Amino acid sequence: KQEVTQIPAALSVPEGENLVLNCSFTDSAIYNLQWFRQDPGKGLTSLLLIQSSQREQTSGRLNASLDKSSGRSTLYIAASQPGDSATYLCAVTGNTPLVFGKGTRLSVIA
Amino acid sequence: SAVISQKPSRDICQRGTSLTIQCQVDSQVTMMFWYRQQPGQSLTLIATANQGSEATYESGFVIDKFPISRPNLTFSTLTVSNMSPEDSSIYLCSVEGDPNQPQHFGDGTRLSIL
């Protein structure tokens, strides 16, 4: 059974700092990995999708990497802003629909 | 990307009652899913809503408690039946049109049971 773990559970950084969020999964037989953002009381916004054959994806200040063999992904956020404050969720899909981690709650302090 | 509308956005219900949540997509999609997010927890898949056939439920979820309809490729409903306080959660609809594209989510229905 696929399990997804995200570390840290919460993170607080000053504005402008670069940061890394970590995601690990137990079954490397994945089809793709997605990073989502969830604002309080809201649904999920898809940030990046990495196919299993890819190593990384970039969108603006966000860069996600995937090391399928080791079961790890990272989400790098450059020059963080207070508007980046949210919960970031990692999810993988393989033979099953998306399996989610518990998320990292990020606070960027102005 | 698909635009997903979920109704209602929130509700407060009495114990023992049922509530039906609607999910409307602005384009035809192959796959529609229903997730639950309990307070402080991540998302758990309830079921896959299949067009023209019975939904496929995940372990721990049953049709009598969470009946699902999917009459066409753009619409689905989830009913939470005989509600108890333990059903207080956010319920989210999600769609996937192409396995190589991101899966998208509605804004969710925040349900509180008194």
Side-chain angles (χ1 to χ4, degrees):
Chain A
K1 177 184 172 184
Q2 179 73 271
E3 293 183 3
V4 179
T5 302
Q6 290 187 246
I7 295 174
L11 180 64
S12 183
V13 300
E15 181 177 7
E17 193 161 296
N18 303 325
L19 60 102
V20 175
L21 308 181
N22 296 291
C23 171
S24 62
F25 45 95
T26 55
D27 185 352
S28 62
I30 64 169
Y31 190 72
N32 62 46
L33 181 145
Q34 279 189 251
W35 283 93
F36 294 89
R37 168 185 173 140
Q38 186 176 31
D39 292 288
K42 297 291 188 180
L44 276 66
T45 300
S46 178
L47 297 173
L48 290 164
L49 177 146
I50 309 177
Q51 303 281 0
S52 63
S53 59
Q54 297 174 323
R55 298 283 294 182
E56 65 179 328
Q57 283 286 332
T58 298
S59 175
R61 294 182 294 108
L62 306 180
N63 177 275
S65 68
L66 173 63
D67 185 341
K68 186 179 156 184
S69 61
S70 69
R72 296 178 187 274
S73 176
T74 61
L75 179 66
Y76 174 83
I77 302 177
S80 59
Q81 304 171 357
D84 295 330
S85 298
T87 296
Y88 290 81
L89 294 161
C90 166
V92 297
T93 185
N95 292 324
T96 60
L98 282 175
V99 176
F100 283 82
K102 291 187 176 181
T104 294
R105 189 170 62 253
L106 173 65
S107 297
V108 181
I109 311 301
Chain B
S1 61
V3 177
I4 305 168
S5 301
Q6 239 183 279
K7 293 181 181 179
S9 59
R10 59 174 60 226
D11 207 339
I12 301 173
C13 300
Q14 296 295 320
R15 185 192 300 253
T17 62
S18 299
L19 178 75
T20 296
I21 303 167
Q22 298 180 2
C23 178
Q24 178 74 54
V25 191
D26 68 343
S27 59
Q28 293 186 343
V29 293
T30 307
M31 308 292 285
M32 294 184 77
F33 307 97
W34 287 98
Y35 287 81
R36 181 176 73 181
Q37 186 176 31
Q38 294 176 301
Q41 301 298 312
S42 191
L43 281 75
T44 301
L45 180 66
I46 297 172
T48 301
N50 302 309
Q51 195 269 325
S53 64
E54 197 169 278
T56 304
Y57 290 84
E58 297 299 305
S59 176
F61 297 96
V62 295
I63 187 172
D64 289 346
K65 177 68 176 176
F66 298 102
I68 289 170
S69 77
R70 184 154 180 213
N72 55 53
L73 292 175
T74 63
F75 186 79
S76 177
T77 66
L78 168 74
T79 299
V80 186
S81 303
N82 188 26
M83 289 183 285
S84 67
E86 293 70 37
D87 295 319
S88 296
S89 298
I90 300 174
Y91 293 85
L92 297 112
C93 170
S94 175
V95 303
E96 179 191 277
D98 179 340
N100 295 318
Q101 297 297 316
Q103 192 167 322
H104 295 283
F105 286 76
D107 281 344
T109 296
R110 182 181 294 273
L111 186 56
S112 300
I113 291 84
L114 303 178

